[in-house]
Amino acid sequence: MKRFIIGLGVITLAVGSMLVANGTAELIGALFIGFITGLVFLGNMSMRLWHSAQFSAGRAKRQMLWGLVLRLLVLFVVLFAAIQISTQVFSMVALGFVLCYAWAMVLMIRMNSAK
């Protein structure tokens, strides 16, 4: 968790400094919304995986499918709301989501390959 938070901090500094340099510092909030969406996405996925390990195969499959539907619905709602504001906000929310999700996947792969 510590590496994840430090990585998000570095990503925020890099993207935030680019936004400030371009004169669009107000889009940093949209980046944070993308991060929060990514965290909800990852949290839901990990909780579904954790709970599905305790169920039978059929029930675990149903649990994971419902989780996928809920995650995609959350992502759709957030991105739809962002596109209603502006395309720049949509782009920053999508970028924040992708960066958060990609960083989490890189860390998970790295942790599992180290074992």
Side-chain angles (χ1 to χ4, degrees):
M1 197 61 156
K2 183 179 176 182
R3 289 180 187 165
F4 183 70
I5 293 171
I6 289 171
L8 281 182
V10 169
I11 291 169
T12 304
L13 268 169
V15 175
S17 63
M18 287 189 298
L19 289 173
V20 169
N22 283 338
T24 56
E26 65 274 1
L27 293 176
I28 293 175
L31 181 69
F32 283 125
I33 291 172
F35 285 163
I36 291 168
T37 305
L39 290 172
V40 167
F41 206 85
L42 290 166
N44 184 294
M45 183 174 57
S46 61
M47 289 301 292
R48 295 281 174 173
L49 282 171
W50 180 264
H51 289 297
S52 68
Q54 301 169 1
F55 299 136
S56 65
R59 192 167 173 201
K61 181 180 177 182
R62 186 172 52 237
Q63 182 84 300
M64 290 306 294
L65 287 175
W66 271 111
L68 176 65
V69 168
L70 289 174
R71 287 190 306 269
L72 291 177
L73 184 65
V74 166
L75 184 61
F76 173 76
V77 167
V78 170
L79 292 178
F80 184 76
I83 197 69
Q84 297 301 315
I85 297 170
S86 73
T87 55
Q88 287 180 327
V89 171
F90 172 79
S91 299
M92 288 311 298
V93 170
L95 179 68
F97 172 78
V98 168
L99 289 174
C100 180
Y101 192 76
W103 179 240
M105 290 299 126
V106 165
L107 285 178
M108 281 193 239
I109 291 168
R110 187 170 174 247
M111 285 182 352
N112 285 327
S113 66
K115 292 182 179 183

